[in-house]
Amino acid sequence: KHFNPEALNNFYISQKMYGDCGLMLLKQAFSTDIIESKLKALKYALSFYDKQQDLFNTGAIKELIAFTESTNNANTKIEGPPKSITRILELFYQTGNIQEAEKLQKIHHIPDRRFLLVRIKVLIQKKSFVELDKLLSEKNTKTPHLVPYDVIASLCIKEKEISKAEEYLQKIPDIEEQINYLRDFNFVNKAAEVAMSKKKIDILYEIHATADISLQNAIDGYLMSLKK
């Protein structure tokens, strides 16, 4: 009765996350014969079990690291980041451990674009669109080329956030590229609307060729208005 239930719940979540991350990295370590990659995964797994204060696993992993380091294996080709790294990043973002995610990026030299996409994916899954918009605004200010609005739209559609997908496609700065993506994602009416507002006549004729009767009439009316 002297414990804060919320604090206990947060403690449980963090402990489970450390255990999950450690286990994924152990699986990665045992899936490769490349010594350097095995050691990297083992040492990172050890850091999670240390945080979890799991004396049994930390002791066992330390012995395994010592044994692996003593193994003379000529096949020491360097691999990229372990496959489980993306899942660990997702766990960090899902539990709000942004600093741990950034630390992981530095350790494994994760490219900025991949790092950003994992965060975007989690925010969309959590329906945290206010936070997502804030993040995209920051990235647009610093490195606009990193923001992949077409990928964001695909993730939104996967989560059945159709209106959000249309909204993010309209943030693509190049107008013709924006219209093309709107058409590719079957937001044809919005593509025509943008084309009319920007007077992209050639594109309107392309849209007209495959549009339904209602949209064809709207485009015809717009084109007639330009001749007056």
Side-chain angles (χ1 to χ4, degrees), residues 1-167:
K1 67 181 180 180
H2 299 294
F3 292 100
N4 184 322
E6 184 177 351
L8 283 173
N9 185 58
N10 290 338
F11 175 78
Y12 169 77
I13 291 172
S14 64
Q15 290 296 298
K16 186 178 185 304
M17 182 195 70
Y18 293 145
D20 289 344
C21 291
L23 182 60
M24 282 190 290
L25 283 160
L26 282 177
K27 289 179 180 178
Q28 181 67 32
F30 291 128
S31 70
T32 180
D33 294 324
I34 299 174
I35 298 300
E36 185 168 345
S37 298
K38 186 185 292 290
L39 283 171
K40 182 184 288 187
L42 285 172
K43 288 176 181 178
Y44 202 54
L46 179 61
S47 72
F48 286 111
Y49 285 117
D50 274 338
K51 291 175 181 177
Q52 198 183 32
Q53 298 181 341
D54 185 328
L55 298 180
F56 176 81
N57 279 318
T58 53
I61 294 171
K62 284 178 181 177
E63 290 183 10
L64 186 55
I65 289 172
F67 173 78
T68 305
E69 287 177 334
S70 67
T71 301
N72 183 18
N73 190 328
N75 186 20
T76 56
K77 179 182 175 183
I78 299 175
E79 292 180 333
K83 294 178 182 177
S84 57
I85 293 299
T86 297
R87 178 59 186 143
I88 293 173
L89 276 178
E90 289 179 6
L91 280 170
F92 282 146
Y93 283 133
Q94 287 166 357
T95 54
N97 287 293
I98 307 300
Q99 290 183 339
E100 289 289 345
E102 291 173 346
K103 189 188 301 181
L104 184 65
Q105 182 190 21
K106 291 178 182 178
I107 291 172
H108 290 282
H109 308 290
I110 300 170
D112 289 342
R113 183 180 172 87
R114 176 182 169 190
F115 187 70
L116 176 63
L117 281 175
V118 174
R119 189 171 181 185
I120 288 171
K121 177 183 176 183
V122 172
L123 289 174
I124 292 172
Q125 289 173 340
K126 293 170 68 176
K127 317 294 185 188
S128 300
F129 291 107
V130 172
E131 187 177 347
L132 176 58
D133 289 341
K134 182 179 178 182
L135 173 65
L136 296 179
S137 178
E138 291 173 357
K139 294 300 178 183
N140 266 326
T141 302
K142 297 176 183 177
T143 49
H145 64 283
L146 277 181
V147 180
Y149 287 111
D150 56 317
V151 178
I152 295 173
S154 294
L155 291 170
C156 285
I157 289 173
K158 187 175 181 181
E159 296 299 320
K160 298 187 173 15
E161 294 286 346
I162 308 303
S163 63
K164 283 293 181 182
E166 184 180 74
E167 177 185 325

Side-chain angles (χ1 to χ4, degrees), residues 174-200:
D174 183 280
I175 295 302
E176 291 195 7
E177 185 179 1
Q178 178 187 139
I179 294 170
N180 287 334
Y181 272 119
L182 284 167
R183 293 174 67 189
D184 289 343
F185 280 80
N186 207 31
F187 298 123
V188 183
N189 286 354
K190 180 57 68 175
E193 182 182 317
V194 174
M196 285 187 274
S197 69
K198 300 299 180 180
K199 296 185 177 181
K200 298 292 182 180

